[in-house]
Amino acid sequence: MSFTPGYLLQTLTLALLLSSVQASQNVSLPHISSSPTNASQVIDPRLASFSMEFSYLPTFGGNKTHPNVLTQELMQRLVERTGVGPDVRPGGITIDSSIYSPNASALELDMSPSGGIYRTTYGPAWFESLDVFSDSSPIVVTVNLGNDTISIARDQLATHIKTIGWSRIRALELGNEADHYAGNQRPSTWGSADYTAQYLGWTSFLTRNLSLPTHIFQAAGFADFWSVKEVIGEGITTTNTVKVFSQHTYQYSTCDPARNAIATLPNLVNHRNITSFLDQWKPHIAAAKQAGAEFVVGEYNSVSCSGKENVTNTFGQALWLADTVLYGAVIDISRLYLHQGATLVLQSSTQANTPGFSWYDQWYPTTSDRFGDPHAGPSFVALLLITEAVGSSTKSQIALIPTPAFPQLAVYAIWDPTARPSRDGPARIAILNLATRNVTATPEQVDEESVVLDLGGYVRKGKGRSATVKRMTSTGLDATDAGAATWAGQSYESGKANGTLVVEGLSAGKVTVKGSEGVLVFF
Ligand SMILES: *[C@@H]1O[C@H](CO)[C@@H](O)[C@H](O)[C@H]1NC(C)=O
Ligand SMILES: *[C@@H]1O[C@H](CO)[C@@H](O)[C@H](O)[C@H]1NC(C)=O
Ligand SMILES: *[C@@H]1O[C@H](CO)[C@@H](O)[C@H](O)[C@H]1NC(C)=O
Ligand SMILES: *[C@@H]1O[C@H](CO)[C@@H](O)[C@H](O)[C@H]1NC(C)=O
Ligand SMILES: *[C@@H]1O[C@H](CO)[C@@H](O)[C@H](O)[C@H]1NC(C)=O
Ligand SMILES: *[C@@H]1O[C@H](CO)[C@@H](O)[C@H](O)[C@H]1NC(C)=O
Ligand SMILES: *[C@@H]1O[C@H](CO)[C@@H](O)[C@H](O)[C@H]1NC(C)=O
Ligand SMILES: *[C@@H]1O[C@H](CO)[C@@H](O)[C@H](O)[C@H]1NC(C)=O
Ligand SMILES: *[C@@H]1O[C@H](CO)[C@@H](O)[C@H](O)[C@H]1NC(C)=O
Ligand SMILES: *[C@@H]1O[C@H](CO)[C@@H](O)[C@H](O)[C@H]1NC(C)=O
């Protein structure tokens, strides 16, 4: 054997590889049960759905002659993975100053000098924006409750039902965050019992007037002050109108300086923070179930008042999103509607943001000063991991596999009898390593935050059986470069896969996951 330089180089590389493996943490998992004995309800393939600020829907959707091509492509990427389009909820604060007029153009905004929208008038052409979404995307129809004028809501509902058709309607929703009306669109004494009474009165009139089916409303939709349990206690389910209960969840905020100060990447991308925040809805999820209704997060994002620069437009938002949605599924949240839009200057007089697309948007559908040409941001890839984890079956169930020695590791097992027979083990395992790996991390830091998991025991028995691995990664947690954020080796800034598909295998049964990275293992 001669020691050629090539052989030396190989030996050196091998030594380097070994030393990096040694620094990584070996994670041993508790046994994952073969069948979904302790898992979630069956996951809705539309688990990852969207809410879009009502007055910006035309910006995201375009219209019949000018459909927004980026939105169309990105939605198609999701349809390819789950077989159906996500729900779309045109809603948000602007719904409560909206009015339908048959003579209006698509969208007519009355704005304050600083750009605040205080009235949104929309006409028949507004509905063309919905055409950009797949026919299999159900629509949540939200109408104006804030104005306190039932004829406005009635006319909106009648028009939406006639234009969209029942086959595409998920549910009807009255108003947005009614717990914020007091002292604003209602007297300062306005409380949850007043909301419940108005809900019952209006739904009773609307049911008769529009011949509505029973169990068709998405109720509650509160942001901060009232709860699903509270309105159930007040009798909101007594008339059989509620189909779904909704709660809005924003874990952090830039609406005021105190909350802005803690809206940081390390706080946001933290598995304990994410799970303890969502756990507060467990009693309300249980109460909704007991009342025979679904529980959804009808509007959410990471940081309210339109996100935060260098926090929610980073790859960190992808990790936050993947962990939030998968954990939401674990605790039986049926769907989560990720809010997209732009800064609403009337929302808060002390907010940090100025007008423009929200820093938390998954994509920027038109050219803007802030983000340049239309493109998807670095967090879009999380939706690909999520939709592939959920799959196109309508039979998947999910559980969180505890790894208490690694608090920033999130391991989710997904059972799916259409991909792997029941009682034969999980069909997929998603692993998110939320430990921080910044763009500037040294190789030593990268090694220290990396984890190695042995999944060999879950590979299907039989000759030639193996598992495949897809990886969601970027140059670092704080990377804002959309081109660097990849799913299975490909980036999606244009809405289409860019680059060569990279599907890995396990290495001697093991998979390595760096900090600020996620993988989905298919068995
Ligand atoms: C992880 O396990 C490998 C062998 O599988 C071992 O060489 C390495 O030292 C272990 N790493 C740590 C940090 O214990
Ligand atoms: C099932 O879940 C409960 C509650 O989360 C937990 O205490 C229990 O250990 C789990 N059982 C199995 C077999 O995983
Ligand atoms: C469709 O969008 C284009 C481009 O924004 C606009 O010029 C046109 O007026 C719109 N059509 C309707 C019916 O609103
Ligand atoms: C719409 O226009 C028609 C005439 O074209 C008019 O009769 C009707 O009053 C208008 N409706 C509204 C709501 O302005
Ligand atoms: C209700 O809507 C009408 C018609 O758009 C408008 O004139 C009025 O200011 C609105 N009232 C409130 C409280 O929003
Ligand atoms: C529904 O309400 C509208 C306006 O308030 C009224 O014109 C119409 O006659 C009502 N229809 C029914 C079936 O009650
Ligand atoms: C979130 O995580 C951080 C650690 O990064 C911790 O200091 C903080 O208290 C947690 N909670 C909130 C609400 O930020
Ligand atoms: C965001 O990061 C960029 C690049 O590091 C920097 O130029 C910019 O000032 C930062 N903005 C804020 C608000 O921190
Ligand atoms: C990573 O970057 C974020 C955002 O710039 C910063 O807050 C954090 O302290 C950094 N963490 C490490 C471990 O370098
Ligand atoms: C594809 O990726 C390459 C390399 O990052 C980049 O230069 C190019 O602009 C991307 N193409 C599209 C259409 O995004």
Side-chain angles (χ1 to χ4, degrees):
M1 187 186 288
S2 62
F3 288 93
T4 62
Y7 179 82
L8 252 181
L9 195 63
Q10 276 178 20
T11 313
L12 276 172
T13 313
L14 192 65
L16 279 171
L17 274 174
L18 280 175
S19 73
S20 84
V21 165
Q22 272 157 11
S24 309
Q25 303 293 310
N26 296 311
V27 178
S28 55
L29 290 177
H31 177 70
I32 301 176
S33 113
S34 327
S35 55
T37 41
N38 212 11
S40 69
Q41 65 186 16
V42 168
I43 311 173
D44 187 333
R46 299 174 175 106
L47 173 69
S49 282
F50 289 99
S51 168
M52 300 206 170
E53 190 62 42
F54 190 83
S55 302
Y56 293 108
L57 185 79
T59 310
F60 279 83
N63 61 28
K64 203 167 270 168
T65 54
H66 298 74
N68 189 283
V69 179
L70 178 62
T71 301
Q72 204 163 39
E73 286 292 341
L74 292 169
M75 292 299 106
Q76 204 48 41
R77 299 294 81 77
L78 308 182
V79 174
E80 286 160 5
R81 287 166 169 81
T82 60
V84 290
D87 275 26
V88 178
R89 168 194 181 255
I93 289 177
T94 54
I95 201 71
D96 278 321
S97 56
S98 70
I99 184 159
Y100 177 74
S101 171
N103 298 344
S105 64
L107 191 70
E108 296 170 10
L109 300 179
D110 289 339
M111 298 177 86
S112 69
S114 63
I117 299 170
Y118 62 88
R119 187 177 14 233
T120 299
T121 309
Y122 62 106
W126 179 90
F127 291 91
E128 291 183 11
S129 303
L130 292 173
D131 292 346
V132 82
F133 301 102
S134 160
D135 288 344
S136 62
S137 273
I139 308 298
V140 176
V141 175
T142 310
V143 298
N144 188 340
L145 174 70
N147 193 287
D148 215 1
T149 307
I150 197 166
S151 60
I152 292 179
R154 193 217 80 94
D155 292 351
Q156 290 180 319
L157 283 176
T159 305
H160 283 247
I161 293 166
K162 187 162 160 264
T163 311
I164 301 170
W166 282 115
S167 64
R168 264 195 95 180
I169 292 176
R170 163 77 66 183
L172 311 177
E173 186 178 52
L174 301 176
N176 181 74
E177 302 179 359
D179 57 328
H180 277 261
Y181 292 174
N184 184 18
Q185 286 159 303
R186 293 292 187 282
S188 58
T189 54
W190 167 253
S192 68
D194 301 310
Y195 164 82
T196 302
Q198 184 158 34
Y199 171 91
L200 291 171
W202 277 33
T203 52
S204 137
F205 169 81
L206 294 167
T207 298
R208 265 182 286 118
N209 186 278
L210 297 167
S211 303
L212 301 178
T214 59
H215 301 291
I216 193 63
F217 283 92
Q218 180 158 308
F222 307 137
D224 294 295
F225 308 125
W226 310 335
S227 75
V228 168
K229 275 184 80 171
E230 213 170 349
V231 294
I232 291 176
E234 289 157 3
I236 201 162
T237 57
T238 51
T239 52
N240 296 326
T241 56
V242 179
K243 177 183 193 179
V244 183
F245 279 109
S246 161
Q247 172 68 46
H248 296 182
T249 68
Y250 288 88
Q251 200 176 340
Y252 295 93
S253 180
T254 48
C255 294
D256 54 74
R259 286 187 291 168
N260 189 20
I262 59 163
T264 64
L265 261 180
N267 285 356
L268 181 68
V269 186
N270 179 299
H271 182 61
R272 274 188 183 154
N273 286 0
I274 288 168
T275 53
S276 61
F277 177 72
L278 286 173
D279 279 345
Q280 66 180 296
W281 280 284
K282 279 180 170 172
H284 306 288
I285 297 165
K289 269 196 183 178
Q290 199 168 10
E294 288 186 307
F295 182 96
V296 301
V297 166
E299 185 190 310
Y300 79 115
N301 213 308
S302 49
V303 177
S304 73
C305 274
S306 284
K308 186 169 178 175
E309 184 177 6
N310 294 343
V311 175
T312 62
N313 60 320
T314 68
F315 182 66
Q317 168 93 354
L319 292 156
W320 166 83
L321 181 60
D323 200 27
T324 296
V325 175
L326 294 178
Y327 188 70
V330 168
I331 63 171
D332 288 352
I333 296 174
S334 296
R335 289 173 298 284
L336 297 91
Y337 295 73
L338 189 66
H339 199 58
Q340 306 291 297
T343 305
L344 295 161
V345 299
L346 292 187
Q347 196 170 358
S348 158
S349 57
T350 56
Q351 65 177 309
N353 287 324
T354 51
F357 284 123
S358 298
W359 292 105
Y360 58 46
D361 285 343
Q362 303 306 106
W363 70 98
Y364 318 110
T366 59
T367 302
S368 64
D369 290 344
R370 185 175 286 173
F371 295 105
D373 288 341
H375 66 280
S379 58
F380 179 77
V381 288
L383 293 165
L384 304 177
L385 182 146
I386 294 164
T387 47
E388 290 195 33
V390 170
S392 60
S393 129
T394 51
K395 298 185 172 69
S396 295
Q397 288 174 270
I398 188 168
L400 179 70
I401 307 304
T403 53
F406 298 88
Q408 292 317 320
L409 193 62
V411 179
Y412 296 97
I414 299 113
W415 295 267
D416 179 353
T418 64
R420 184 178 194 178
S422 310
R423 291 184 291 280
D424 188 31
R428 300 178 280 283
I429 292 179
I431 302 162
L432 307 173
N433 184 354
L434 269 52
T436 299
R437 174 181 53 91
N438 278 344
V439 171
T440 54
T442 63
E444 291 73 27
Q445 287 170 327
V446 172
D447 283 349
E448 278 162 22
E449 301 302 350
S450 294
V451 294
V452 180
L453 292 93
D454 190 343
L455 301 174
Y458 301 106
V459 176
R460 289 187 191 210
K461 307 280 181 290
K463 204 165 166 259
R465 299 287 202 187
S466 62
T468 55
V469 178
K470 287 187 178 177
R471 191 174 295 272
M472 179 180 85
T473 195
S474 183
T475 47
L477 178 77
D478 49 350
T480 55
D481 177 8
T486 55
W487 170 244
Q490 298 173 308
S491 66
Y492 285 81
E493 62 272 49
S494 71
K496 290 184 174 153
N498 184 12
T500 309
L501 179 73
V502 179
V503 179
E504 307 166 37
L506 296 176
S507 164
K510 292 179 182 163
V511 65
T512 301
V513 188
K514 286 192 284 192
S516 306
E517 193 171 83
V519 298
L520 182 61
V521 184
F522 301 77
F523 295 99

